[in-house]
Amino acid sequence: MTKPGTVKDRNKLSVLDSDDAWLHSRSWTDWSHEYEQLTPGRFHGTTTEAWLGPLQIVHERVDGAFSYYGHPWRGARLFFSFLPGSGDLYYGGRNAPSGGLITHRWDAGDRITCSRRAESVAIAVNEEVLNEYLRESTTGTSFDPNCGSVRVCAILPQQVLQFQHCIFGALRELAKASTQIDCDRRRVVLQNAIVDTLVDILSTPSAGRARLPRPSTRSYVVDRAMQFMEAKIADPISIRDVCATVRVCPRTLRYSFEHVLGITPTHYLRAARLNRVRRELVCGSSESVQSIAARWGFWHMGRFASYYRRTFSEYPSNTRAIAS
């Protein structure tokens, strides 16, 4: 079986813009993930991606509040950093501010929520290749490449900037002369420069030791509530049901959601259901809009149409027409 990133037709630079959260979810090659739009208005996401042999580099920007869950291709180790100017970000209920470099194995990802907008850069590298580089490093490293849990592997500003500049520099080089990526020699030079940067960062004494901060009470409440809503999203649950499960009063639940996501729990539950409906319409479902809406908990079609238009700036019929 061919490892991700080694197929020649993947050696390309691509820039994709999307006005739909579900379509944006599919813009990262070989990833399995989902974005859900949480605030009204037209969604906008941009992904710039390039494959360099056994590694993938990505620059992403998402405008507006969103919820995300997913993971990269099997066998990858992910390194990513949020850029300054991003909104309030939480990773698995833990605050993940800009100014850090986070890493985890491909199967150890968690939910990310953002209250406003987010811009990030990421490297997904075949872990076997990275381990080989680390073993050959003459400086040695205290980083444990076999650790699958989420860790902060760099917190020094110069290290984070080094990581970010490395990705932006490679993407600029490829944008100037896209044919360079088809040149084996040039591709290997860029690939080695990126991996060398990772090795340099991971070779520092503190690399891989720090963890994200423990969840605050409010972020913990939101994370638990989102898990319950996700599991029962098609059921006729109420905010009272959520409060009973999380064991908080309605006021605490509301304040927690407003603090973490900038929206109420009712708004979040409705947005999550609307995203499910839109996903089916974008994917070309042959069911009637009424049937799809009812399956995701919308029984009053007039209110549903109003909610849908307010959130996505178009009616469900418009989405279906565009998808077809």
Side-chain angles (χ1 to χ4, degrees), residues 2-8 10-11 30 51-56 73:
T2 306
K3 294 177 183 176
T6 60
V7 180
K8 283 200 172 183
R10 289 180 179 160
N11 292 322
D30 285 341
W51 283 90
L52 294 166
L55 62 87
Q56 177 187 30
W73 34 275

Side-chain angles (χ1 to χ4, degrees), residues 122-250:
I123 296 175
V125 57
N126 182 279
E127 193 164 45
E128 292 180 7
V129 173
L130 178 61
N131 288 348
E132 184 177 346
Y133 269 82
L134 289 169
R135 286 193 295 268
E136 294 175 353
S137 172
T138 56
T139 58
T141 177
S142 59
F143 176 76
D144 179 7
N146 296 313
C147 178
S149 61
V150 179
R151 290 175 177 266
V152 179
C153 63
I155 55 176
L156 298 176
Q158 61 267 33
Q159 290 180 316
V160 178
L161 287 175
Q162 181 185 9
F163 175 81
Q164 295 172 353
H165 290 168
C166 172
I167 298 177
F168 281 126
L171 291 175
R172 279 195 300 268
E173 286 289 315
L174 295 170
K176 287 178 185 177
S178 59
T179 56
Q180 290 180 349
I181 202 167
D182 295 321
C183 170
D184 288 340
R185 183 174 181 179
R186 183 59 180 166
R187 187 169 62 249
V188 170
V189 169
L190 288 174
Q191 171 189 319
N192 289 343
I194 293 171
V195 179
D196 286 344
T197 297
L198 285 177
V199 171
D200 184 49
I201 292 173
L202 298 177
S203 296
T204 60
S206 61
R209 292 180 179 175
R211 293 184 180 274
L212 289 174
R214 293 178 63 85
S216 67
T217 300
R218 287 181 175 178
S219 61
Y220 174 79
V221 166
V222 171
D223 192 54
R224 284 284 313 280
M226 290 173 68
Q227 289 178 25
F228 174 74
M229 292 182 192
E230 190 76 23
K232 302 288 187 179
I233 195 166
D235 298 337
I237 60 173
S238 66
I239 295 302
R240 180 177 296 179
D241 297 325
V242 179
C243 290
T245 300
V246 184
R247 298 183 179 179
V248 295
C249 67

Side-chain angles (χ1 to χ4, degrees), residues 2 4 7 9 18 47 64 69 89 105 136 140 153 191 194 200 210 213 221 223 242 253 262-263 276-277 295 307:
T2 306
V7 180
D9 62 8
S18 177
T47 302
Y69 187 84
L89 289 148
R105 188 180 289 166
E136 294 175 353
C153 63
Q191 171 189 319
I194 293 171
D200 184 49
V221 166
D223 192 54
V242 179
L253 186 70
I263 58 177
R276 300 306 198 285
V277 175
R295 188 166 62 253
Y307 292 147

Side-chain angles (χ1 to χ4, degrees), residues 75-94:
R77 173 161 285 277
L78 178 64
F79 298 86
F80 65 96
S81 176
F82 293 108
L83 274 63
S86 298
D88 297 324
L89 289 148
Y90 289 85
Y91 193 97
R94 295 166 290 182

Side-chain angles (χ1 to χ4, degrees), residues 18 20-28 31-38 43-47 58-71 82 89 111-114 118 120 122 271-272 274-276 278-279 312:
S18 177
D20 180 87
W22 170 241
L23 294 178
H24 183 73
S25 301
R26 303 165 68 182
S27 65
W28 294 45
W31 282 56
S32 174
H33 59 189
E34 296 178 358
Y35 286 81
E36 292 189 345
Q37 177 181 342
L38 299 183
F43 177 91
H44 182 250
T46 302
T47 302
V58 182
H59 170 222
E60 180 195 49
R61 175 171 173 169
V62 177
D63 295 320
F66 65 88
S67 172
Y68 161 91
Y69 187 84
H71 58 80
F82 293 108
L89 289 148
R111 183 188 300 276
I112 296 176
T113 59
C114 181
S120 63
L274 287 170
N275 275 272
R276 300 306 198 285
R278 183 174 179 84
R279 186 180 307 162
F312 303 118

